[in-house]
Amino acid sequence: MTANIFPDSNTSIYYGTWNVSCYGANDATLYVVGDGTDHGPFTYQWVGPNGFTSNNDTISSLYAGLYSVTVFDSNYCSVNRSFNVTSPLPLEYTTIRVDRHESCEGSCNGQVILDVTGGTVPYTGTSTNISSGVVLSSVIRDSVLPNMCSGTWNISVTDTNVRDPICTPIFFTASISFFV
């Protein structure tokens, strides 16, 4: 009589991932659930950047980087999976030019072209008039900061994470002058 014995190759994992919300934050989460076999309970071995290790099925407070988990069943059959946790790039911008001057004094329909990269859209431009202190705020669409009035302005750009308590707002300021 001959017996054929095959390893249990049905061990699998289900997983979920939440990436880092803003540049430099450590708010990502990964989880896995062992499945596909009757040989529970499962054990977990995670490794990640900067010497990160864990034996839990869920890991959190993660920075961007590559994380790998090996899931073992009670027969020590295993399955391995790697996850690349991502983060938005740092928010940066450059003031390119005045695209359209105000058509009439007080109409506030001027436009400034900005080159915005990184962060998480949508972007908001906040302009402060250097002389009067008037503050205007507009969503930047297609690199255009609209609704600008004549004058000299300091322009700050923020991304959607400016109100996220985990994210530290990043403000860049540029000055621009244009007149009717």
Side-chain angles (χ1 to χ4, degrees):
M1 179 173 171
T2 303
N4 293 321
I5 300 175
F6 299 98
D8 180 2
S9 60
N10 293 327
T11 302
S12 61
I13 57 174
Y14 296 99
Y15 61 90
T17 177
W18 290 269
N19 286 311
V20 175
S21 64
C22 55
Y23 181 75
N26 65 324
D27 60 344
T29 299
L30 294 169
Y31 75 88
V32 294
V33 177
D35 193 35
T37 180
D38 293 331
H39 302 288
F42 295 96
T43 58
Y44 306 89
Q45 291 181 350
W46 288 93
V47 295
N50 303 314
F52 176 87
T53 62
S54 177
N55 294 320
N56 296 317
D57 60 349
T58 301
I59 55 175
S60 57
S61 300
L62 306 177
Y63 289 97
L66 186 64
Y67 294 82
S68 295
V69 64
T70 303
V71 179
F72 295 93
D73 68 13
S74 61
N75 287 339
Y76 297 102
C77 292
S78 65
V79 63
N80 186 280
R81 173 79 191 214
S82 293
F83 302 90
N84 186 27
V85 173
T86 62
S87 169
L89 295 172
L91 176 63
E92 299 176 338
Y93 86 93
T94 307
T95 304
I96 304 292
R97 68 180 188 283
V98 173
D99 186 49
R100 182 175 73 204
H101 289 275
E102 198 176 27
S103 58
C104 299
E105 188 171 352
S107 63
C108 297
N109 61 353
Q111 295 180 340
V112 175
I113 301 296
L114 303 171
D115 179 22
V116 184
T117 60
T120 305
V121 295
Y123 304 117
T124 300
T126 302
S127 308
T128 305
N129 186 291
I130 291 175
S131 300
S132 68
V134 169
V135 176
L136 304 174
S137 185
S138 298
V139 173
I140 299 168
R141 287 185 176 40
D142 298 323
S143 300
V144 175
L145 177 59
N147 307 321
M148 296 295 297
C149 302
S150 296
T152 302
W153 298 84
N154 284 333
I155 301 171
S156 297
V157 175
T158 56
D159 69 2
T160 194
N161 290 316
V162 71
R163 289 178 184 82
D164 187 332
I166 293 173
C167 302
T168 302
I170 300 171
F171 298 95
F172 293 94
T173 303
S175 294
I176 191 162
S177 297
F178 63 102
F179 300 93
V180 177

